Amino acid sequence: MHDLFLIDVTDATGNAYTGVENLSARMMPKDLLIEKPTEVKNLLLSTRNNLGTINYFLGGMINEVPEDETSVHPAVRNSAWNLLSIDSDTTLKIRDFVPNDVTGVCYNHHYRLEPDWHNACWGAHHSKLSELISLYDPEARLNCWHCVGWQGGDPFAESPTSGCQSQSFGSFVLIGIIVASLI
């Protein structure tokens, strides 16, 4: 068992952790389970040794909320579960199976070096959220890794700690409050 659930510190970039640097999560669309059950089963069987132990189901009342009512990725509204992986090869395999044009990532557990993270984390909401964060936080005081408005460069080109000024939670809450006030 990995030590990834024994973390007693938090870090907006994931650099402070050992054993979780390859943790990632992707949402599994309900439609895919219905349309390609054999392929989904084969994916799960082929990755079962490298899946996290905190995979969880999505759905319920959250699906009653229209996709454009909150800041969460639209894929949250039509996903059956969040699939957590603990190594980079499994992360790539799952991402290849359910790419960003099909789904997104669970923001709280996404791969820290997620390519195309704007789309993976925020989906179609990213551009509107960018406008809002520019309006309400023009000095980027809530700048954080993979948050809307991140001002720190390409994660593959430099250390993700570069330019990070706060925890992601603050920015996420601010965006949620802004979106809620506009409804």
Side-chain angles (χ1 to χ4, degrees), residues 2-17:
H2 293 274
D3 291 333
L4 64 110
F5 304 109
L6 304 175
I7 299 166
D8 60 356
V9 297
T10 190
D11 169 45
T13 66
N15 280 344
Y17 307 124

Side-chain angles (χ1 to χ4, degrees), residues 115-132:
D116 187 24
W117 63 268
H118 296 94
N119 190 28
C121 294
W122 305 103
H125 296 316
H126 188 265
S127 61
K128 179 65 176 171
L129 293 171
S130 292
E131 292 174 21
L132 292 171

Side-chain angles (χ1 to χ4, degrees), residues 9-72:
V9 297
T10 190
D11 169 45
T13 66
N15 280 344
Y17 307 124
T18 57
V20 297
E21 52 276 343
N22 292 315
L23 180 69
S24 70
R26 292 194 81 70
M27 293 178 279
M28 183 63 69
K30 287 184 294 190
D31 292 346
L32 198 60
L33 298 172
I34 295 166
E35 296 166 9
K36 298 182 177 184
T38 302
E39 291 89 341
V40 172
K41 180 179 109 178
N42 290 339
L43 173 73
L44 294 174
L45 289 173
S46 69
T47 59
R48 70 180 174 262
N49 293 329
N50 293 309
L51 295 179
T53 57
I54 56 171
N55 298 297
Y56 50 87
F57 291 102
L58 299 170
M61 293 303 292
I62 195 169
N63 293 346
E64 303 290 324
V65 179
E67 289 181 358
D68 61 350
E69 293 275 332
T70 69
S71 62
V72 299

